[in-house]
Amino acid sequence: HFLYLSAYHADARNSCVWFASLDGREHRRLFECPSSVIYASGHLLFIRDSILLAQRFDPARGRVLGAPIATPAVAQLDPTTWHAVVSASEQDDLLYGTGTGVGGYRVVWFDRRGREQGSIADAANHYSIDLAPDGRRAVIETQYSPFSDLWVYDMASGVPTRTTNDNDDDTPPVWSPDGTRLFYARRQTVGHYWIES
């Protein structure tokens, strides 16, 4: 099964999150949502009115449970692609970009009790974020020049390693389930990089 967002440029209020199966037998609308969603630790995470929300979700039945829970986070949403700048691991790590518009954001990570553990505070535009499955690294799409590249951050030290360096936008990065590869789009093509364990 997989989740996806059907988005409408004319009216973001008509954008919806869907649950579907790879064999095509299931295809069900879950709820209206103006942002992409991610699934982690039994919840769907998404942004509505700049607020990060958590919605309990049963992946076996493809059903949302109860009402969404508002977090105190004001999270970043790229309004041109509806991409929520949010990532989470199955170890309950949460990473998100703050802000309500496009440009110049601070990326912050917190522990389970909401205490700030570290941040990336610079003049760059940080767009897409994805935590590695082990929760120890994060890949961030960052724009220092006219083009965005991918940087892998060690979450303990905050030290970045540049992964791509070209004259194209590399977006949005996603870790492979084993944390050894990054998948991303580069304009009209799709690429991947091997990451040393």
Side-chain angles (χ1 to χ4, degrees):
H1 292 91
F2 61 96
L3 298 162
Y4 73 93
L5 175 71
S6 63
Y8 295 91
H9 275 288
D11 188 352
R13 292 172 299 181
N14 291 325
S15 299
C16 299
V17 173
W18 296 76
F19 175 84
S21 61
L22 293 174
D23 62 12
R25 293 182 182 175
E26 291 184 85
H27 185 238
R28 185 167 57 256
R29 179 182 176 277
L30 294 180
F31 53 87
E32 290 182 6
C33 185
S35 82
S36 61
V37 299
I38 62 168
Y39 172 77
S41 300
H43 290 80
L44 298 179
L45 301 173
F46 57 96
I47 297 171
R48 188 176 284 150
D49 296 325
S50 299
I51 301 298
L52 179 61
L53 300 171
Q55 173 80 56
R56 287 182 57 227
F57 182 70
D58 179 351
R61 295 187 305 144
R63 306 273 183 204
V64 292
L65 306 170
I69 302 164
T71 73
V74 177
Q76 180 188 356
L77 173 68
D78 182 345
T80 61
T81 62
W82 306 278
H83 182 79
V85 184
V86 175
S87 186
S89 75
E90 288 301 317
Q91 289 76 35
D92 297 326
D93 300 302
L94 176 65
L95 183 69
Y96 64 91
T98 60
T100 58
V102 175
Y105 297 103
R106 180 173 176 248
V107 177
V108 182
W109 50 96
F110 297 88
D111 66 13
R112 184 99 172 143
R113 294 182 179 164
R115 293 176 298 206
E116 185 173 324
Q117 299 297 296
S119 67
I120 302 166
D122 56 27
N125 294 329
H126 303 292
Y127 293 108
S128 302
I129 300 172
D130 196 43
L131 277 172
D134 62 12
R136 296 194 307 247
R137 295 165 295 159
V139 59
I140 302 177
E141 175 198 353
T142 301
Q143 183 182 16
Y144 285 105
S145 68
F147 303 102
S148 61
D149 286 303
L150 306 182
W151 294 72
V152 173
Y153 285 80
D154 179 283
M155 300 299 289
S157 68
V159 174
T161 301
R162 191 173 194 159
T163 306
T164 65
N165 187 7
D166 51 56
N167 291 329
D168 282 310
D169 288 323
D170 300 324
T171 181
V174 178
W175 289 96
S176 62
D178 62 3
T180 62
R181 287 179 289 171
L182 289 172
F183 293 89
Y184 62 93
R186 177 181 288 160
R187 294 197 182 185
Q188 299 297 322
T189 63
V190 175
H192 74 274
Y193 277 92
W194 290 93
I195 303 297
E196 294 294 330
S197 299

